[in-house]
Amino acid sequence: MIDDRTGTRRPVPLASIRSLAPYRQGKAKLDDVAQPLKLSSNESMIGPSEKAIAAYRDCGARLALYPDGSQAALRTAIGRVHGLDPDLILCGNGSDELIQLVIRSYAGQGDDVVISQNSFAMAFVHAIAQGANVITAPEAEMRPDADAILAAVSPRTKVVILASPNNPIGQYIPRDELLRLHRNLPSDVVLLIDGAYADYVDEPDFEAGDGLVHRQGNVVMTRTFSKLYGLAGLRIGWMYAPEEVIDSVQRIRTPFNANAAALAAAEAAVCDTGHAEMVRRENKAELARIAERVEKAGMRFIPSVANFYLLRFPNGLTPDAAARHLEARGIIPRPVNAGGPAEVLRITVGRPEQNDRVIAALTEFVGA
């Protein structure tokens, strides 16, 4: 590429990179509002366990040392709490990094990666950056659809990715459908189940994916500490995968991809099962309460099992107008303009008093 100003040749990024738009995170600031109520990024409004905070602070005296590259203590703790084999667990700089490493390990130039429609946006980015062809499987019923995914699979398919629960909707693929999907996938295709919001779900027909990992050689489950555990600022996640997948990812991950503070805080967080259960219980109760209140005010609440929800508005009122109304009152939601259902507003579940503030502002907006 020639620089128009200097006439010299410039480095040219790969065409696959040039085709990508940078990821846009949820809005975090409002003009003239010192401390807005940020409900745009599905963060935990309860926050982390006190034990996790204490473990994080204790790392301050050891910052000159590299973290444990084997991640042994955290892998052991995750295995004990979830009943999993620690040797099949690998931690990373958020589950995002682990999704990227799995894609890098199995998909390359000209391969197909099938991604269920309402999956994490960065999965699309990582696949395209590898030079793979991304095939999107529609979610007509607003949740991962086994038939749509299977219809998108071809002999070129190397990886299938779905988020369960998905985002921005908060719906999961039922266990029987997930098992049927896997049963009909070619055995040489990796099925990656992104379970960023799986910790919130206690429905009897939900399968997070760990059971499939135990029995099969081509299933990967990723999880995060950013949501239920409230450690988004530390960027720590984990994956559970067959030995062959772990080996492949180990060959390309950086030696210290999870920092010491994140490893320590996550270990304390996963072991504090009482705090995790409290967060799960309060989130579920608040979802039910919010649904009742907004439906009574004339809005449509789209069911969710995650820590966020979608709203549709009556009488031609738009989500953008609703967002402006909330922002004028110091509340930041997230309009869903692409990659999800049309004409909806996504809002993170907050604490009861925060949710009351949101409900009051929305009720005022619709004139109920």
Side-chain angles (χ1 to χ4, degrees), residues 116-197:
S116 194
Q117 180 181 356
N118 293 300
S119 296
F120 183 39
M122 288 305 297
F124 295 82
V125 171
H126 298 321
I128 291 171
Q130 282 293 103
N133 306 307
V134 172
I135 313 299
T136 301
E139 297 184 357
E141 300 299 322
M142 298 197 294
R143 68 184 186 192
D145 184 298
D147 290 324
I149 292 170
L150 291 168
V153 172
S154 76
R156 295 186 303 274
T157 303
K158 301 299 182 182
V159 182
V160 168
I161 301 173
L162 62 90
S164 182
N166 58 4
N167 180 10
I169 301 164
Q171 283 295 305
Y172 61 91
I173 183 170
R175 178 184 294 108
D176 288 348
E177 284 295 283
L178 179 62
L179 296 179
R180 183 169 69 86
L181 167 63
H182 178 264
R183 189 165 58 246
N184 288 281
L185 275 181
S187 59
D188 60 349
V189 173
V190 174
L191 174 60
L192 193 158
I193 305 166
D194 173 5
Y197 298 96

